[in-house]
Amino acid sequence: AHSPHVSQRLAAALPIRSLLGLPLIAGNQKLGAAIIAFNQFHSFSHKELVLAEYAAGQIAQAVARVQLAEAERSQRRLAETLLDLSRTLNASFDLTEILELILEELARLIPCDSSAVMLLEGDQLRVAAGRGFPDPEAIARLRVRIEDDRLFSEIQRTGRPLVLADVRTDPRFLGFAETGYVRGWLGEPLLYRANLIGMLTIDSHTPGAYTIADADIALALAGHVAIALENARLYAAEKERARELRALLQSNAALLSTLELDPLL
């Protein structure tokens, strides 16, 4: 209760009298701390300190091994997901289908309550695809002016992802269409050949849900979103050119059929 290392509020809320804090460090990686506490006064002996430090070292090594194994599994899942998405991109030009699939795969890699692909159109952002929102129709109609969205402006300025531990403590966050449940938030720029074309957003009802590691995973998917958007644009432009060409040929054929040509010609 008299330690400068413990807040008075926490000390008053807990019955602890004596406490030993041990760092959990594996290599140069700080993983956390192990806490040994007594509700009564306790003087820690040298032997206890030695044993506790040894135990903390073993715990840190175990945690590091588990984290390494999980990181390897995450990388395998990401590689498999990206391979599947590449196959889909090569097999389909339906933008809606592709974006919905990408958001579905995103939810498997990064736990989230909702996610969206927002495209830059002039001075506005439009939701091209959304998943997990309480009111999907309202989200589909959403148009946000860039000058009003300070988070996108920040992403536009830096070209880098942005992670908010809790949107309720950040005045830049704008809640739309019954998204009051959002606490943790991640915004990822959509870049095609270094040009910003929109952003990918990920929402969670849990504060502190996302980390830079999550941003790295989202970055890989954002690259596929940008490719899908550009492929769909090129495909739509090619279809429009083909339609115009067919219309021109039909018009010329109709014109020729109405002309009376000189037999000598």
Side-chain angles (χ1 to χ4, degrees):
H2 305 293
S3 171
H5 304 296
V6 180
S7 73
Q8 292 300 308
R9 179 187 59 81
L10 188 61
L14 298 175
I16 295 172
R17 292 294 305 278
S18 298
L19 179 148
L20 174 62
L22 299 153
L24 299 180
I25 301 176
N28 295 322
Q29 186 178 8
K30 298 179 180 179
L31 303 173
I35 305 298
I36 301 175
F38 291 82
N39 291 345
Q40 302 297 325
F41 177 80
H42 181 83
S43 179
F44 293 93
S45 67
H46 176 72
K47 180 178 180 180
E48 288 176 327
L49 293 177
V50 171
L51 290 174
E53 286 186 300
Y54 175 78
Q58 295 299 307
I59 293 171
Q61 293 297 326
V63 171
R65 287 195 296 270
V66 171
Q67 290 185 346
L68 178 61
E70 178 57 33
E72 292 176 348
R73 284 194 294 270
S74 296
Q75 288 300 317
R76 285 198 298 271
R77 288 197 299 268
L78 178 58
E80 293 169 357
T81 298
L82 295 180
L83 180 59
D84 291 340
L85 287 177
S86 296
R87 291 168 178 166
T88 301
L89 288 174
N90 293 329
S92 174
F93 290 99
D94 187 328
L95 182 59
T96 300
E97 175 186 345
I98 290 173
L99 292 182
E100 288 179 352
L101 176 61
I102 289 174
L103 292 181
E104 180 180 341
E105 294 298 330
L106 174 66
R108 294 179 182 175
L109 293 171
I110 305 176
C112 61
D113 294 293
S114 54
S115 57
V117 174
M118 305 185 73
L119 299 184
L120 183 59
E121 296 181 349
D123 63 347
Q124 293 185 328
L125 284 170
R126 175 181 67 85
V127 178
R131 187 178 189 276
F133 291 100
D135 191 347
E137 294 183 0
I139 291 295
R141 295 191 301 267
L142 186 62
R143 302 291 186 276
V144 182
R145 293 192 307 172
I146 296 174
E147 63 183 34
D148 295 333
D149 194 329
R150 293 164 59 190
L151 291 176
F152 178 76
S153 296
E154 177 70 11
I155 291 174
Q156 186 178 42
R157 183 182 66 82
T158 63
R160 297 178 59 82
L162 189 59
V163 176
L164 300 185
D166 192 345
V167 301
R168 296 184 185 178
T169 63
D170 196 314
R172 296 174 298 176
F173 182 80
L174 298 176
F176 299 107
E178 300 181 9
T179 54
Y181 60 88
V182 177
R183 299 295 297 274
W185 185 87
L186 168 62
E188 190 79 45
L190 297 178
L191 298 168
Y192 185 78
R193 294 181 178 176
N195 295 318
L196 184 67
I197 60 176
M199 71 174 173
L200 173 67
T201 64
I202 308 171
D203 314 312
S204 173
H205 67 261
T206 304
Y210 304 119
T211 65
I212 296 301
D214 296 317
D216 291 339
I217 295 175
L219 175 62
L221 292 176
H224 282 270
V225 172
I227 293 173
L229 292 169
E230 182 62 16
N231 287 346
R233 185 190 67 80
L234 293 174
Y235 181 67
E238 189 63 31
K239 284 184 63 177
E240 179 61 21
R241 284 194 293 269
R243 186 193 66 77
E244 292 175 352
L245 180 59
R246 285 196 300 270
L248 179 61
L249 292 175
Q250 291 172 357
S251 176
N252 289 342
L255 178 62
L256 290 174
S257 67
T258 61
L259 295 177
E260 293 182 3
L261 299 179
D262 189 330
L264 294 179
L265 297 177

